[in-house]
């Protein structure tokens, strides 16, 4: 698949967090390679099935050194249910009834639970399909998630695409927000669905020889937020902006 993740500013998780040793803050996991937010609830049957598996994988991932931190965001109905459920988890949690849960539900477009998302240390969304990836790969996803944290950001109108030192982009590469040109009916075409962080979806029609940079500029035209382009599984940054839709394997993709 192909995804464009909008990077919304602000770290909503800031503040007091619960740990198994008392209280802590978000500063405690800022240098952890993989940060996951886990939306779940005691009353949810799929959650109660998934959580024990996640606990097992969490312990395995951190067996030799701290590589993953998970923050539990409870959708439990009572504090008693929250305490009973959190007692089964080895990671951090936002206190029950905290307004940050609602803020983060909105920020990441929560539609159902269990919901496991990967963010970076600035709370930019990297991956909202972590649960499915964990289940599909029986927990063997850690290396992919660590690589995913090495991302490329759009810095704004007229500026360079920068970030990862592994990027193949030239420092002089420029991106200017622009509307999408109409597809040429005389040439092969395909449709791509854009899903922005605002929740809006937009289906676009492009030619197979349309450059990745053209789509990039169009997303910048639609949104003022920072965002990332990545494709495939595990998702990898699209650094070749001169590649065509066909060359990049984006034919018929859903962009989220």
């Amino acid at each position: 698949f192909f995804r464009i993740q909008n990077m919304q500013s602000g770290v909503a998780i800031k503040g007091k967090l619960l740990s198994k040793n008392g209280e802590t803050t978000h500063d405690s996991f800022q240098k952890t390679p993989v940060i996951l937010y886990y939306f779940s609830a005691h009353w949810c049957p799929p959650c109660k099935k998934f959580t024990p598996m996640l606990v097992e994988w969490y312990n395995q991932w951190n067996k030799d050194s701290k590589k993953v931190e998970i923050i539990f965001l409870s959708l439990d109905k009572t504090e008693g249910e929250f305490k009973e459920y959190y007692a089964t988890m080895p990671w951090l949690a936002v206190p029950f009834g905290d307004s940050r849960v609602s803020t983060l539900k909105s920020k990441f477009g929560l539609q159902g639970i269990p919901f496991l998302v990967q963010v970076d240390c600035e709370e930019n969304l990297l991956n909202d399909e972590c649960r499915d990836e964990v289940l599909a790969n029986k927990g063997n996803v850690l290396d992919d998630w660590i690589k995913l944290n090495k991302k490329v950001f759009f810095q704004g109108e007229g500026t360079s695409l920068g970030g990862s030192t592994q990027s193949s982009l030239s420092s002089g590469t420029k991106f200017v927000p622009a509307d999408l040109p109409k597809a040429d009916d005389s040439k092969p075409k395909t449709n791509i669905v854009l899903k922005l962080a605002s929740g809006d979806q937009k289906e676009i029609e492009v030619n197979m020889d349309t450059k990745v940079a053209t789509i990039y500029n169009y997303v910048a035209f639609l949104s003022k937020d920072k965002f990332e382009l990545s494709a495939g599984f595990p998702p990898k940054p699209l650094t070749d902006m001169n590649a065509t839709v066909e060359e990049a394997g984006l034919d018929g993709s859903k962009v989220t």
Side-chain angles (χ1 to χ4, degrees):
F1 59 92
F2 172 50
R3 68 176 59 181
I4 297 176
Q5 296 288 13
N6 278 12
M7 301 302 179
Q8 298 184 344
S9 59
V11 181
I13 202 75
K14 281 185 177 180
K16 183 181 75 173
L17 297 172
L18 304 179
S19 76
K20 295 305 177 179
N21 298 316
E23 295 182 359
T24 186
T25 70
H26 82 290
D27 292 330
S28 65
F29 58 81
Q30 291 301 287
K31 295 183 180 180
T32 306
V34 176
I35 302 168
L36 302 173
Y37 289 0
Y38 182 42
F39 297 84
S40 186
H42 181 277
W43 51 261
C44 166
C47 298
K48 294 181 76 172
K49 181 177 180 180
F50 180 67
T51 297
M53 292 187 286
L54 188 59
V55 169
E56 182 178 347
W57 289 320
Y58 175 85
N59 291 332
Q60 182 62 37
W61 293 331
N62 293 316
K63 182 178 180 181
D64 298 322
S65 62
K66 190 70 171 185
K67 299 183 181 70
V68 178
E69 189 55 270
I70 297 176
I71 300 86
F72 171 45
L73 295 112
S74 169
L75 278 75
D76 288 301
K77 298 176 181 178
T78 68
E79 187 170 8
E81 288 183 350
F82 164 76
K83 289 181 177 179
E84 181 181 348
Y85 193 30
Y86 182 49
T88 69
M89 304 174 185
W91 43 71
L92 307 180
V94 172
F96 177 77
D98 195 295
S99 63
R100 286 173 290 174
V101 175
S102 179
T103 299
L104 289 162
K105 280 171 57 180
S106 177
K107 181 172 184 176
F108 298 125
L110 178 70
Q111 295 182 341
I113 54 175
F115 186 45
L116 186 67
V117 300
Q118 181 185 0
V119 300
D120 67 7
C121 63
E122 296 178 350
E123 209 173 76
N124 296 310
L125 177 61
L126 301 181
N127 186 0
D128 60 3
E129 298 180 351
C130 296
R131 175 192 174 229
D132 291 342
E133 291 173 5
V134 166
L135 292 174
N137 295 275
K138 298 182 180 180
N140 297 316
V141 291
L142 184 57
D143 289 343
D144 296 336
W145 287 348
I146 291 174
K147 292 175 184 176
L148 185 57
N149 201 30
K150 297 175 180 179
K151 53 196 175 297
V152 178
F153 290 117
F154 175 77
Q155 302 294 347
E157 181 173 356
T159 63
S160 299
L161 194 71
S164 171
T165 57
Q166 297 178 348
S167 171
S168 63
L169 288 170
S170 152
S171 60
T173 303
K174 301 292 182 182
F175 296 90
V176 180
D179 204 351
L180 189 71
K182 180 177 174 56
D184 187 340
D185 292 334
S186 67
K187 299 192 296 183
K189 300 184 295 183
T190 188
N191 290 340
I192 294 176
V193 177
L194 304 178
K195 183 178 180 182
L196 304 178
S198 63
D200 296 334
Q201 293 196 48
K202 188 176 184 64
E203 185 170 344
I204 61 172
E205 185 179 61
V206 295
N207 292 113
M208 295 296 286
D209 62 358
T210 296
K211 301 290 188 180
V212 169
T214 299
I215 299 175
Y216 201 105
N217 290 338
Y218 181 55
V219 175
F221 174 77
L222 293 176
S223 174
K224 295 181 181 179
D225 293 320
K226 296 177 181 180
F227 61 87
E228 172 189 59
L229 287 87
S230 57
F233 180 81
K236 296 180 180 179
L238 291 172
T239 56
D240 186 359
M241 296 297 115
N242 289 318
T244 66
V245 166
E246 183 174 21
E247 291 168 344
L250 306 180
D251 183 12
S253 297
K254 183 174 182 179
V255 181
T256 60

